[in-house]
Amino acid sequence: MGTKALLFFALFSLLAIASVADTESTESDSGLVLNFYRDSCPQAEDIIKEQVMLLYKRHKNTAFSWLRNIFHDCGVESCDASLLLDSTRRTLSEKETDRSFGLRNFRYLETIKEALERECPGVVSCADILVLSGRDGIVALGGPYIPLKTGRRDGRKSRADILEQYLPDHNESMTVVLERFKNIGIDTPGVVALLGSHSVGRTHCVKLVHRLYPEVDPVLDPGHVEHMLHKCPDAIPDPKAVQYVRNDRGTPMKLDNNYYRNILDNKGLLIVDHQLATDKRTKPYVKKMAKNQDYFFKHFGRAITVLTENNPLTGNEGEIRKQCNVANKRH
C-alpha cells in the first residue's frame, strides 16, 4: 500500500510540474514556434529556400523585394500577409499605396506558394512564406541566417487605410521613425540596423529628386551629387520610367555595413539616411556598425525577429489562403 501511495504521489507531482511548464510555455509564447511545419509539411522550409535560391539566380532583385516585404507587411499592425492582397471593388490593396511605391516581384511569391501547395495543400500560410522568403533572401544577399518562428496565419483584409499610421516615410523626422518602431518593440540600435537594408537595392528618382532640384541639398557629398544628377536628370521624373540610383555603389548586391560608411560620408540617398548619421540618438550606433559588421548583423537579426513576430494571427485566427493575392471565398 505504501509503494502504491508513493507511485501515486510521484505521478501526481510529475503531472503538476508538466501542467505548470505547459502554462508557462503558453503564456510566454506568441503562438509561433520554430519549425512549426515539422509534422504537417516537413519539407516546407526547404522548399521555400530552394525556390528563393532558384528565383534569385534568375532575377537578382527578388531578394531585395522579399526583404522589403517583411518591413511593409509586418510593420503594419500584424504580420499576416495583408500586403499581398489585391485590390477589390471595396478595398484598396496595400501594394497600390504611395508608401509601397517600388515594391515588386509579388508573382514570385505565388511561385513559391504553388510549389508548397503541390507538396502540402492548404498547410503553409502566405504570411510564413513572406517571412521565410525574406529570411532566405537576406542570406542570398550575404546577410546573416536568422532563425525565425513560424505558425502565422493569413489575414483577410487590406490595411491600406491605416498604413501611414504605422510605416514611417523616408522624409519623416528621426523622432517619428524611432517612435514607430518602438511601438513594435524595436529599440534604437535595432532601428539603425533595420535601415541597413538600404545597403542593397536601388531608389527611384521620384523619392530623391527633392534633394537635387531646384537646388542641391548642401549636405550631400559633391562627388555623389554628380552621380545622382546623372541618374536623375529630370526634376519631375516619370514614376514608370527606369530611373534609379543604387543605394550603395560599392557593394550594391551585398547586405553589409558599407551603408553606414556611406552615410557618414554624406552619400545617403534619402533624408532618413542623412538623419540616421547625424542624429545624436542614432549616430553612435551608426559609427559602431560602420566599424563592426558582426555588431550590425547581431542587431539586424534581433530587429528582424521582433518585426516578424509582430502581432501574428495564430491558432484558429485568420486562414490559410489558397492564393496569396486573394482571400479565400467564404461559403
Side-chain angles (χ1 to χ4, degrees), residues 38-189:
R38 178 179 56 193
D39 298 322
S40 58
C41 189
Q43 300 302 313
E45 295 199 23
D46 288 336
I47 290 171
I48 293 172
K49 180 180 178 180
E50 179 184 28
Q51 288 295 317
V52 164
M53 296 312 297
L54 284 172
L55 289 164
Y56 178 66
K57 286 179 181 177
R58 296 175 194 159
H59 316 281
K60 295 295 185 183
N61 64 2
T62 53
F64 314 144
S65 300
W66 291 324
L67 175 53
R68 282 193 72 188
N69 287 344
I70 290 179
F71 170 67
H72 283 265
D73 185 64
C74 299
V76 185
E77 198 171 57
S78 174
C79 200
D80 66 350
S82 62
L83 171 69
L84 307 182
L85 291 171
D86 288 343
S87 292
T88 66
R89 286 177 296 177
R90 296 181 179 179
T91 60
L92 178 69
S93 170
E94 293 173 35
K95 294 180 285 189
E96 296 181 31
T97 63
D98 181 62
R99 293 286 164 91
S100 299
F101 179 80
L103 289 178
R104 59 177 71 83
N105 293 320
F106 294 111
R107 64 187 182 278
Y108 297 127
L109 286 174
E110 289 295 345
T111 301
I112 299 173
K113 175 66 171 174
E114 289 166 5
L116 287 163
E117 288 295 301
R118 288 193 292 270
E119 180 73 17
C120 314
V123 174
V124 183
S125 70
C126 297
D128 277 339
I129 293 171
L130 182 150
V131 165
L132 294 180
S133 62
R135 178 189 71 182
D136 295 334
I138 289 167
V139 174
L141 293 167
Y145 174 82
I146 307 167
L148 296 178
K149 295 178 181 179
T150 43
R152 298 166 192 80
R153 288 171 65 84
D154 301 322
R156 292 185 51 81
K157 64 178 183 178
S158 164
R159 292 190 174 85
D161 58 332
I162 60 170
L163 188 147
E164 292 191 6
Q165 299 173 30
Y166 292 88
L167 292 184
D169 187 51
H170 60 93
N171 288 324
E172 301 272 21
S173 69
M174 188 51 58
T175 295
V176 170
V177 173
L178 292 174
E179 285 179 353
R180 295 281 174 88
F181 282 108
K182 183 180 179 181
N183 291 337
I184 300 174
I186 298 174
D187 58 14
T188 300

Side-chain angles (χ1 to χ4, degrees), residues 67 71 138 143-144 146 174 177-178 181 186-200 255-260 263 272-273 276-277 281-290 292-307:
L67 175 53
F71 170 67
I138 289 167
I146 307 167
M174 188 51 58
V177 173
L178 292 174
F181 282 108
I186 298 174
D187 58 14
T188 300
V191 174
V192 175
L194 276 182
L195 285 172
S197 299
H198 291 177
S199 168
V200 293
L255 181 65
D256 58 18
N257 64 337
N258 201 43
Y259 164 75
Y260 301 103
I263 63 176
V272 71
D273 298 326
L276 198 70
R281 293 165 293 183
T282 54
K283 187 174 182 178
Y285 299 110
V286 170
K287 287 184 172 181
K288 285 184 180 180
M289 292 181 194
N292 189 328
Q293 183 156 284
D294 290 338
Y295 180 79
F296 161 45
F297 282 171
K298 180 180 75 172
H299 285 284
F300 183 78
R302 287 178 181 173
I304 289 289
T305 300
V306 173
L307 188 56

Side-chain angles (χ1 to χ4, degrees), residues 226-245:
E226 184 179 350
H227 174 71
M228 292 168 70
L229 287 169
H230 174 70
K231 292 291 185 178
C232 302
D234 304 312
I236 305 176
D238 180 355
K240 296 181 180 179
V242 184
Q243 291 186 321
Y244 295 92
V245 181

